[in-house]
Amino acid sequence: MYSEKVLDHFENPRNMGEIENASGMGTVGNAKCGDIMRMYLDIDDEGVIRDVKFKTFGCGAAIATSSMATELVKGKTVQEALKVTNKAVMEALDGLPPVKVHCSLLAEEAIHAALWDYAQKNGIVIEGLEKPKEDIND
């Protein structure tokens, strides 16, 4: 069913909360399952993610993937964070049941949405970053 890592990140989520005046904030959701993830990034002048927080409304797998995603991008450059895929999140959690793979996709989308917000606020283009399909804030 769930790996020990998934259970650990669900029961003891890392980096949960908000960042006031975040450099970038992205909110994504999946209407089918009702999971909503919001990711906050604090990015320094060199483009390094100093801090990252999340708030997730959803199942245990959604919380675990949000938590792991924050761990994977913290301390990374914007370009390195952009390369964190749903597959990387799943691998870091030692896998997810097939019906929960969408949670790892949401985590990847939340990172991208927060990076998109950061780019928009700063009038920059992040190579390889595409505009999010939808933003549930709109």
Side-chain angles (χ1 to χ4, degrees):
M1 185 91 176
Y2 288 115
S3 72
E4 287 296 317
K5 283 188 182 177
V6 171
L7 294 173
D8 182 40
H9 277 267
F10 167 65
E11 293 170 355
N12 307 291
R14 281 62 149 185
N15 308 306
M16 194 171 0
E18 298 179 39
I19 297 175
E20 278 194 45
N21 303 314
S23 306
M25 189 269 296
T27 304
V28 296
N30 183 321
K32 187 167 64 173
C33 66
D35 294 328
I36 299 170
M37 289 184 189
R38 178 169 288 162
M39 194 158 298
Y40 303 84
L41 301 175
D42 179 20
I43 302 171
D44 69 17
D45 293 338
E46 281 76 52
V48 175
I49 299 170
R50 284 188 302 224
D51 198 10
V52 55
K53 301 275 187 214
F54 79 92
K55 282 192 156 184
T56 294
F57 176 84
C59 65
I63 291 166
T65 56
S66 301
S67 173
M68 181 55 80
T70 64
E71 291 284 280
L72 292 174
V73 301
K74 195 172 195 173
K76 300 284 195 293
T77 66
V78 166
Q79 280 299 324
E80 289 169 329
L82 184 59
K83 293 177 183 159
V84 173
T85 63
N86 74 299
K87 185 177 177 192
V89 172
M90 284 195 302
E91 285 174 359
L93 288 168
D94 294 335
L96 287 172
V99 297
K100 295 298 180 179
V101 169
H102 68 272
C103 294
S104 64
L105 286 166
L106 276 181
E108 178 183 331
E109 290 170 10
I111 293 167
H112 289 194
L115 289 171
W116 181 264
D117 183 53
Y118 164 73
Q120 295 298 295
K121 286 178 177 175
N122 291 280
I124 61 172
V125 173
I126 299 172
E127 187 77 27
L129 180 64
E130 297 177 10
K131 183 176 182 180
K133 293 178 192 88
E134 61 180 69
D135 187 340
I136 64 172
N137 289 329
D138 291 343

